[in-house]
Amino acid sequence: MNKSILFKEIRRIFIFILLAGTIIFGILGCVATENYVESRTQADLVLMGTSDIHHHLTDYDYFQDRETENYGIARTSAIISRIRAENQNTMLFDNGDTIQGNPMGDYIARVKGVEEEIHPVFDIFNYLSYDAMNLGNHEFNYGLEFLSDSIAYANFPIVSTNLYHADKKTHWAEPYVIIDKEIIDTEGNLHTIKVGVMGFVPPNILLWDKNHLEGNVHVKDIIESAQEYAPILDKEADIVIAIPHSGMGSTTGNPDSDNRTYELAKIKGIDAIFFGHSHVTFPDPNSDYYSDNPNINNEKGTIFGVAAVEPNFWGSHLGLINLRIGESDQGGWVVLDSNSEAIPIYDKDNRTHLVDAREDVLERLETVHDETINYIRQEVGQTTSRIHSFFALVRDDPSVQIVNNAQKWYIEKYIQGTEYEIYPVLSAAAPFKAGGRGGAEYYTDIPVGSLAIKNIADLYVYPNTVQAVLLNGAQIQEWLEFSASIFNTIDPNSNERQQLINDSFRSYNFDIIDGLTYEIDVSVDARYNRSGELQGNTHRIINLSFEGNPIVDEQMFIVATNNYRAAGSGGNSPKATGLDGSTIIIQSPDENRQAIINYIIEQGSIDPSADNNWSFKSIDTVSDVYYYSSPLAEPLAESVEEVDYVGTGPEGFAEYKVNF
């Protein structure tokens, strides 16, 4: 072999060895890196959360005066116990709306007080060893003094990152907290990590509870506050948890919305989110609502890769976030992986409970439970006909009629001898309990006979105060157009099954304005969407009349309503409807519930039969439009012209055919 060939052969072998070495070194490097990742200190941190408890501590329906298996912290706490028994490292949070929402909450706030005794919510939260809590919008319904007295008993930090005193500089509560949490790693070694927690309240509390909050507090934008404080927590803490009282919200961003969690998840430094306010479940394996959004993983429970969960409401679910965390190369700990779920306490499809109530929790509540029972059973009058809300979304309804009667009576007395006496008084009310996300049992049903406080709380579930607005005919037309957005568009030429109700529209925004007569044409597209945004130049409200004559744009009316609606809440296009706070002429200190009680006491006996002031425009060509309601309404359907019973529906509902 000559020298040239030998040199080439040696060079080829050398290059081969060099390349092989590089490949082997790379492989070993990868293996070494993987081994490093696998071998570095890791731990599992299990985060639990509740949301929108609304004072449902026991498994008892104080509206219907009967036990329930569907909700209550007494049952949710059984899952908390199980999770703690199965995991070494756990934490527990709540994101707000705790002290208001049922008659027990009203009894504590209006009758018993908390000056001498711990508030039941915080007694139970202390007992269950919550780690932190955020303030929700309904925390403010009874005023700042009552809220301050109530939270004073908490043995855990309460945060509100965007809530300030009126000076806009000092926070009303702690903006965030850093918790030193002892954890045990996968090898059994003890460590202390720092967990940062921040929370947010919906800015619209300044509208909803204006009478309590005006001049006393200031609320900053959720996203702006998060952008300010997330870097601080990211620097000071190993793991950062946000517990906003805010739903998922728009994926395109809406600074006027209370629901901003989708945007919140984009902010660097946040590792996990327990959210709420919108009373839904996330993740929900039975829903394909987010299937088209690549940024939301509805199976794993992440938003932009951030672990997130919304545990519905009233303790019906426990939110769970499982974090695998590991020590970082730069020091501290980081999230390596996660999965989230909302664990139910009740199986809606099979209508059976999944956990029993904890007896120790019920025992702690026994005294206040008995006191609440005595309170709600106090009689205020009689009803000569059954009051129910089974068909409140498809026909004029007795449960809405009694509210409108009482509000109209209240405002007419209020304006006697004033400059407003010259205007006709109308009244607007909505069906609060009409199934939907509340489930197949979430309806008002009051038998003939005695009316007690519990029945009034069942009719009117919120502690709103009576207010009145002065509007013209054009504004009232737009108000009703927005309300009619609850209905899907029905194709009069279709032979396919069509669902009448738009499930994304909340029934408490479906106002019936009594004192007028009108029809709703659901074959026409809705003028507004559920957020109050104008969709087109369409009109569903037709034949709108007052005392038999069509109303005109300039005609003025007083409309009795509540503080929530009068201030522009509920999405109903404030510019068009005039419901922006500027048209309020009466701000009563009395609650709507108290107005109903006073009305019934004065009447002694009432007949709340609906006056049928609204109806659907006839559509003769459709025959298969359906509507879900309670199975308890089946025998009533026989005497109701607007519906026919069809059969069983999903999640315990029954299906009814709507007759146009």
Side-chain angles (χ1 to χ4, degrees):
M1 181 180 297
N2 62 40
K3 291 182 179 180
S4 176
I5 295 174
L6 179 63
F7 176 79
K8 289 181 180 179
E9 187 67 12
I10 292 171
R11 186 176 65 177
R12 185 182 65 79
I13 294 171
F14 176 79
I15 293 172
F16 174 81
I17 293 171
L18 182 64
L19 290 172
T22 302
I23 293 170
I24 292 170
F25 181 82
I27 293 172
L28 290 175
C30 291
V31 171
T33 302
E34 289 175 1
N35 286 339
Y36 173 72
V37 171
E38 289 299 322
S39 64
R40 71 176 171 181
T41 303
Q42 296 187 15
D44 294 306
L45 180 60
V46 180
L47 309 176
M48 299 177 286
T50 53
S51 176
D52 295 275
I53 296 302
H54 287 286
H55 219 296
H56 289 85
L57 303 176
T58 65
D59 54 347
Y60 198 87
D61 185 342
Y62 297 101
F63 298 113
Q64 298 291 336
D65 199 359
R66 66 189 182 194
E67 293 182 356
T68 180
E69 299 175 340
N70 293 16
Y71 52 78
I73 284 294
R75 289 180 180 265
T76 323
S77 59
I79 304 178
I80 294 172
S81 296
R82 174 171 61 82
I83 298 299
R84 283 174 170 162
E86 295 172 350
N87 299 274
Q88 292 178 306
N89 311 315
T90 65
M91 300 185 78
L92 178 61
F93 305 96
D94 184 271
N95 70 35
D97 275 11
T98 59
I99 62 175
Q100 179 280 330
N102 73 1
M104 182 186 282
D106 291 336
Y107 169 70
I108 297 299
R110 303 302 189 200
V111 181
K112 188 171 186 176
V114 291
E115 291 82 6
E116 299 179 1
E117 252 182 80
I118 185 171
H119 193 290
V121 165
F122 295 99
D123 179 45
I124 295 302
F125 278 19
N126 288 343
Y127 184 64
L128 297 176
S129 299
Y130 273 73
D131 288 282
M133 173 188 154
N134 175 58
L135 295 175
N137 52 291
H138 283 285
E139 256 68 67
F140 301 90
N141 289 164
Y142 302 124
L144 288 170
E145 183 177 355
F146 179 79
L147 175 57
S148 297
D149 291 343
S150 298
I151 64 177
Y153 291 103
N155 292 338
F156 49 86
I158 294 176
V159 298
S160 188
T161 310
N162 61 331
L163 181 66
Y164 292 78
H165 288 286
D167 62 9
K168 302 183 181 181
K169 297 178 181 178
T170 56
H171 283 86
W172 195 88
E174 292 296 324
Y176 65 89
V177 63
I178 305 292
I179 300 172
D180 290 328
K181 174 66 177 176
E182 287 190 344
I183 62 170
I184 299 173
D185 67 25
T186 54
E187 300 299 320
N189 301 310
L190 185 66
H191 305 266
T192 298
I193 65 171
K194 293 186 178 295
V195 179
V197 183
M198 60 180 174
F200 306 91
V201 67
N204 275 335
I205 62 170
L206 298 177
L207 292 175
W208 301 332
D209 279 302
K210 183 179 180 181
N211 56 324
H212 293 309
L213 303 181
E214 188 173 31
N216 294 311
V217 300
H218 173 72
V219 186
K220 291 188 178 180
D221 180 78
I222 290 175
I223 302 304
E224 290 178 4
S225 294
Q227 289 170 337
E228 178 182 356
Y229 280 93
I232 297 173
L233 269 73
D234 191 30
K235 184 177 181 179
E236 296 184 9
D238 297 298
I239 306 298
V240 178
I241 303 169
I243 50 175
H245 196 76
S246 182
M248 180 73 77
S250 170
T251 58
T252 58
N254 180 2
D256 296 326
S257 172
D258 301 309
N259 299 311
R260 310 289 298 280
T261 295
Y262 185 81
E263 299 168 80
L264 193 65
K266 299 178 185 179
I267 297 175
K268 185 179 182 297
I270 297 175
D271 297 303
I273 304 175
F274 278 101
F275 63 108
H277 184 55
S278 55
H279 289 211
V280 297
T281 303
F282 177 84
D284 182 359
N286 298 318
S287 172
D288 60 357
Y289 187 77
Y290 301 112
S291 60
D292 295 332
N293 191 322
N295 301 317
I296 299 175
N297 189 326
N298 193 30
E299 294 182 1
K300 189 175 183 180
T302 60
I303 310 168
F304 290 100
V306 176
V309 68
E310 181 175 11
N312 217 288
F313 63 101
W314 295 6
S316 65
H317 294 69
L318 178 71
L320 195 70
I321 295 177
N322 298 288
L323 295 180
R324 170 56 68 98
I325 61 175
E327 283 192 306
S328 169
D329 297 338
Q330 289 77 37
W333 294 70
V334 294
V335 174
L336 303 176
D337 199 6
S338 73
N339 65 78
S340 307
E341 62 178 316
I343 305 174
I345 67 170
Y346 186 80
D347 184 339
K348 288 185 177 181
D349 288 327
N350 296 309
R351 307 193 73 180
T352 183
H353 70 278
L354 302 175
V355 293
D356 294 321
R358 276 178 52 174
E359 290 299 327
D360 57 332
V361 173
L362 292 177
E363 286 173 6
R364 293 188 73 87
L365 294 163
E366 185 175 1
T367 299
V368 70
H369 169 73
D370 291 341
E371 291 172 351
T372 303
I373 294 295
N374 292 333
Y375 166 71
I376 66 172
R377 290 176 180 172
Q378 296 177 34
E379 184 176 318
V380 296
Q382 298 280 323
T383 176
T384 59
S385 62
R386 186 176 179 180
I387 307 173
H388 64 83
S389 61
F390 296 134
F391 304 123
L393 303 183
V394 295
R395 68 192 295 263
D396 200 18
D397 183 77
S399 71
V400 179
Q401 187 70 56
I402 182 61
V403 175
N404 270 330
N405 290 350
Q407 290 179 172
K408 186 173 185 291
W409 166 85
Y410 182 94
I411 292 299
E412 284 179 338
K413 290 182 65 174
Y414 202 102
I415 64 173
Q416 286 179 8
T418 73
E419 60 182 302
Y420 299 114
E421 197 174 25
I422 61 173
Y423 300 108
V425 177
L426 312 176
S427 181
F432 293 129
K433 298 181 69 176
R437 61 181 178 172
E441 296 184 359
Y442 195 59
Y443 294 90
T444 293
D445 188 13
I446 304 169
V448 174
S450 174
L451 284 173
I453 289 175
K454 64 182 179 182
N455 303 129
I456 311 309
D458 195 28
L459 282 168
Y460 208 105
V461 300
Y462 301 108
N464 296 332
T465 54
V466 182
Q467 293 194 357
V469 291
L470 183 63
L471 301 177
N472 62 37
Q475 291 168 323
I476 289 172
Q477 170 94 30
E478 297 303 309
W479 185 347
L480 289 172
E481 290 287 357
F482 170 75
S483 293
S485 302
I486 195 172
F487 304 113
N488 291 318
T489 302
I490 301 301
D491 183 352
N493 300 312
S494 174
N495 294 319
E496 302 294 325
R497 296 183 75 242
Q498 301 181 72
Q499 184 174 355
L500 178 63
I501 303 300
N502 177 356
D503 290 332
S504 68
F505 192 102
R506 306 308 183 201
S507 69
Y508 55 70
N509 288 327
F510 176 55
D511 285 321
I512 305 303
I513 300 184
D514 216 52
L516 302 173
T517 57
Y518 54 95
E519 290 181 299
I520 302 175
D521 185 356
V522 293
S523 69
V524 174
D525 289 338
R527 183 170 174 81
Y528 296 96
N529 65 15
R530 65 172 182 167
S531 300
E533 298 166 335
L534 187 66
Q535 300 297 288
N537 190 28
T538 56
H539 292 282
R540 284 183 162 180
I541 304 301
I542 59 175
N543 299 323
L544 180 61
S545 300
F546 174 68
E547 295 183 343
N549 299 309
I551 69 170
V552 296
D553 289 352
E554 299 78 17
Q555 199 169 357
M556 301 302 295
F557 298 90
I558 293 173
V559 187
T561 182
N562 58 59
N563 60 300
Y564 179 84
R565 185 69 76 242
S569 299
N572 49 349
S573 192
K575 289 184 179 179
T577 61
L579 298 173
D580 59 0
S582 66
T583 58
I584 298 172
I585 58 170
I586 295 171
Q587 292 179 294
S588 165
D590 293 324
E591 292 185 356
N592 296 71
R593 274 189 297 222
Q594 191 59 50
I596 298 168
I597 289 172
N598 293 347
Y599 171 74
I600 294 171
I601 289 174
E602 181 171 293
Q603 300 294 316
S605 179
I606 61 167
D607 178 7
S609 299
D611 61 10
N612 299 313
N613 71 302
W614 75 274
S615 61
F616 292 117
K617 179 187 176 184
S618 177
I619 309 176
D620 297 330
T621 55
V622 297
S623 59
D624 199 3
V625 177
Y626 66 97
Y627 161 72
Y628 293 131
S629 186
S630 168
L632 297 177
E634 178 185 352
L636 296 173
E638 296 178 4
S639 58
V640 174
E641 182 180 344
E642 288 84 356
V643 297
D644 293 319
Y645 175 77
V646 176
T648 57
E651 298 185 342
F653 284 95
E655 183 178 320
Y656 296 84
K657 174 178 171 291
V658 182
N659 301 317
F660 290 98

